[in-house]
Structures are given as C-alpha cells and as structure tokens.
Amino acid sequence: MKLALFASGTGSNAEVLIRSAQAGELSGEVALVISDKPSAPVLAKAQALGVKTVAIRPTSFQNKAEYEQELVSRLQSEEVDLVVLAGYMRLIGPVLLSAYEGKIINIHPSLLPSFPGLDAIGQALQADVTVTGVTIHYVDAGMDTGPIIAQREVPLVEGETHETLAKKIQAVEHKLYPTVVNQLLHEKLGEES
Ligand code: GRF
C-alpha cells in the first residue's frame, strides 16, 4: 500500500506518519509528500527522512482543475492508494475527488461538525466549551464536512490557552492518525485480497 501526504505547513503529523511507516508500524509506505508551498517546513522534514517530496504551486497553473490534474498525475505515477491530508490548507476540487474517490482523508483539530475551517482551536476557546478534540474524516467537496472515521475528545482545563490546547490536541493527533491510517490500509488490503 502506498500513501501520499499533502501538507502546507509544519508537518508534525506528516513526520509522525513517515516515522511510523519506517518503523514498520503501518501496512504501507509513504511514497510521496506533496506541498502547495515550496517553503513549507514539511518538505525539509520529509527529505531528511529520505522521502520523495514535490512542491507544486497552484499559481503556476491556469486554474484549479489543471493544478489538480498535475496532482493526479503525480499520484498515479507513484501508484498511490491513499491520500492523507495533514495540514493541507486547500479545498479539494472535483478533479482530485473523482480520481481518488473515497481515498482521501483529513485530520481536523475539533470534534466536527463543531468548529470547521480555520483556527478550530481558537474557535473552541472563544466558544468556551469544556471539551473539544480531534476528527479524522473522509474528504468531500466541503470544508471539513466529509464522513467521520474517528474522533477523540480533548478536555479543556481552567486557564487553557491557545498554546496549551494546541499542544494537547497535537499529542492526540500524533497517536490517532497513524492508528486510523493503519486501519484503513488494512481494510484496503482486505478488499484487494
Ligand atoms: C493539525 O492540527 C491538523 O489537525 C490541521 O492542521 C494541523 C497540521 O499540523 N488540519 P502539522 O503541520 O501536522 O503540525
């Protein structure tokens, strides 16, 4: 099984997934890391771990469809089975969705459907909730709206700040994402045998 990771930023989830795969904890390998931002730190992290990377700038294309066609070509030439979004800050359009239907997942730092979109952690603090969390879901055309695969709660404590909450949420993400990705890889392996 082959994974492609899409990320626009720091790449801590991407790093954890690469390390898990390299440690033999996933039934698959990370074939490729793709970023829409050539300066994204995730690229250096993946390269340091010996993973192939590619930066593809959407602005180099006429439109989103052409950009996504390039993504699809890259994924197909690596024979990717599962596309894992890890801080990829773009909506997925019809070209990529139809080529990889049911094969694109995302992680989001809230208990969806609460707090979709940007700064889910800030939104949770603003709303003064006592519990937020992490969601892994299949990707559809909407913003953080696809079918939910797994969720974990993260309680807020007295005096919680953006920084403390972000740290707790990331710790949960780093455990949950490899576990769920591995489950999905197993399901796909089962379907193929
Ligand atoms: C994560 O919190 C994830 O839930 C959200 O973007 C963040 C990416 O963090 N989609 P990192 O780049 O993996 O550190």
Side-chain angles (χ1 to χ4, degrees):
M1 290 278 130
K2 289 190 173 183
L3 305 175
L5 311 181
F6 280 26
S8 304
T10 318
S12 70
N13 281 284
E15 183 176 358
V16 164
L17 288 165
I18 293 167
R19 288 189 187 280
S20 302
Q22 291 180 343
E25 292 159 11
L26 299 185
S27 300
E29 59 170 303
V30 178
L32 184 64
V33 171
I34 297 183
S35 183
D36 56 329
K37 293 222 167 69
S39 61
V42 66
L43 293 171
K45 284 194 173 111
Q47 284 156 16
L49 290 165
V51 174
K52 184 170 175 179
T53 63
V54 53
I56 305 175
R57 239 194 262 260
T59 51
S60 312
F61 298 84
Q62 295 276 338
N63 52 44
K64 186 164 179 141
E66 284 185 19
Y67 163 62
E68 289 201 337
Q69 194 48 59
E70 175 66 18
L71 296 176
V72 169
S73 306
R74 300 285 184 143
L75 295 172
Q76 285 174 343
S77 67
E78 296 292 337
E79 299 181 329
V80 164
D81 301 289
L82 185 67
V83 175
V84 178
L85 309 186
Y88 179 68
M89 303 301 283
R90 288 178 184 278
L91 287 177
I92 305 296
V95 171
L96 189 48
L97 275 176
S98 62
Y100 282 84
E101 205 191 330
K103 296 180 180 171
I104 309 176
I105 64 170
N106 183 43
I107 190 162
H108 184 77
S110 76
L111 294 175
L112 291 171
S114 296
F115 315 131
L118 288 177
D119 194 18
I121 293 171
Q123 291 184 55
L125 286 166
Q126 192 72 35
D128 211 12
V129 292
T130 54
V131 177
T132 184
V134 172
T135 302
I136 296 170
H137 63 96
Y138 286 107
V139 171
D140 64 12
M143 170 100 75
D144 304 317
T145 50
I148 290 170
I149 304 168
Q151 292 188 303
R152 288 289 179 280
E153 291 186 351
V154 176
L156 280 79
V157 295
E158 191 76 21
E160 197 83 75
T161 65
H162 199 287
E163 199 184 343
T164 58
L165 185 54
K167 230 180 182 164
K168 290 197 298 193
I169 284 183
Q170 284 238 308
V172 172
E173 290 186 338
H174 294 167
K175 280 195 169 170
L176 190 61
Y177 221 2
T179 304
V180 169
V181 164
N182 201 35
Q183 279 165 5
L184 295 176
L185 291 174
H186 273 277
E187 281 171 24
K188 288 191 182 298
L189 278 167
E191 282 163 17
E192 283 186 10
S193 62

